[in-house]
Amino acid sequence: MNVTKAELIITAGNKSQFPEMNKPEVAFAGKSNVGKSSLLNCLVNRKALARTSSQPGKTQTINFYNVQDEIRFVDLPGYGYAKVSKTEREKWGKLIEDYLCNRENLREVILLIDIRHEVGKNDKMMYDWIAHYYERVNIIATKADKLNRSQVQKHIAMVKKGLGLRPTDRIMAFSSVSKLGKDEIWSMLDGVIVD
Ligand code: GTP
Ligand code: MG
């Protein structure tokens, strides 16, 4: 899709603020600082539609974006940020569950994993949880520009194994700096719109 229109619909702090389920949605999940907002911006050719930050734990709400009046991108709050209080963590869990377990128009769930590191405990938990509800989980291994090409392949294999991916799942490498993987991700998303 050639995106010329992308806008924030709502920053939702609870379920009552979620928009109507009348458009297909794609949700982006992942650890704080993994690059969710950067990926969203890259896909819609914008520098700062979704706020990015070197300070982890910035996005603590579910942000819904309208893309070209055809599809919604849903930026889920990041997890695994140590400085978050127990109350905030519980609030995060409830919000994310309210979204992921009840969203009939949710067509693909994308889980972002930092390509450089071993899969963390929180990543594995998040994957298992999504995989329990969804037949296919799409993994995007971010920050691929930090590795060279042969390392990228090696690390993709490492992430696959670390998460225990099923044959129905998909994995692709991405970089918001070099734009590696952007076209592949869009081919997948275009599939959501024509379905
Ligand atoms: P939260 O909203 O806090 O959960 O973070 P996020 O997952 O939205 O991450 P964000 O996009 O804000 O990026 C976090 C940091 O990583 C920023 O400093 C980005 O510039 C950097 N970053 C994101 N993607 C990439 C990438 O592909 N390559 C490199 N080198 N840096 C990246
Ligand atoms: Mg963010």
Side-chain angles (χ1 to χ4, degrees):
M1 186 193 283
N2 179 28
V3 180
T4 52
K5 179 178 177 182
E7 65 199 357
L8 177 68
I9 303 169
I10 193 163
T11 288
N14 63 63
K15 198 170 149 182
S16 67
Q17 296 172 312
F18 296 170
E20 255 189 277
M21 296 193 249
N22 56 356
K23 285 269 185 237
E25 285 177 353
V26 174
F28 299 84
K31 190 171 79 174
S32 283
N33 221 37
V34 70
K36 293 177 296 299
S37 302
S38 303
L39 167 64
L40 261 127
N41 288 331
C42 174
L43 291 174
V44 300
N45 310 313
R46 292 273 289 271
K47 279 221 164 65
L49 178 66
R51 276 206 297 160
T52 62
S53 167
S54 50
Q55 216 187 319
K58 196 94 191 152
T59 321
Q60 282 301 338
T61 47
I62 298 187
N63 300 338
F64 292 83
Y65 296 92
N66 166 26
V67 179
Q68 217 65 21
D69 299 323
E70 298 229 40
I71 186 172
R72 276 185 211 136
F73 285 176
V74 183
D75 192 3
L76 299 173
Y79 52 81
Y81 181 51
K83 282 192 193 146
V84 166
S85 70
K86 193 171 168 235
T87 325
E88 279 176 299
R89 246 197 319 271
E90 280 164 5
K91 204 175 142 220
W92 174 90
K94 170 92 171 66
L95 185 65
I96 231 159
E97 189 169 318
D98 280 343
Y99 179 77
L100 283 177
C101 303
N102 301 301
R103 209 64 189 163
E104 285 151 27
N105 57 334
L106 178 54
R107 307 295 282 278
E108 299 286 349
V109 183
I110 297 178
L111 176 62
L112 281 72
I113 302 282
D114 190 320
I115 198 165
R116 294 170 297 173
H117 312 306
E118 289 280 347
V119 168
K121 216 169 75 186
N122 287 326
D123 291 326
K124 176 68 176 144
M125 269 168 62
M126 192 70 200
Y127 169 78
D128 287 343
W129 195 69
I130 300 170
H132 176 78
Y133 290 99
Y134 295 88
E135 206 171 285
R136 175 170 62 217
V137 185
N138 302 281
I139 308 297
I140 294 185
T142 63
K143 309 195 184 184
D145 56 283
K146 301 262 193 185
L147 301 178
N148 67 37
R149 252 161 80 185
S150 66
Q151 282 176 311
V152 166
Q153 287 322 307
K154 209 178 108 202
H155 283 240
I156 287 283
M158 190 176 91
V159 172
K160 250 184 186 167
K161 193 161 168 244
L163 290 174
L165 295 194
R166 306 160 297 181
T168 47
D169 297 326
R170 293 192 279 216
I171 183 163
M172 42 212 132
F174 174 73
S175 163
S176 61
V177 174
S178 71
K179 315 266 187 268
L180 170 86
K182 183 182 176 184
D183 293 346
E184 197 186 343
I185 296 169
W186 260 120
S187 314
M188 185 257 280
L189 296 173
D190 283 331
V192 170
I193 299 159
V194 282
D195 273 3

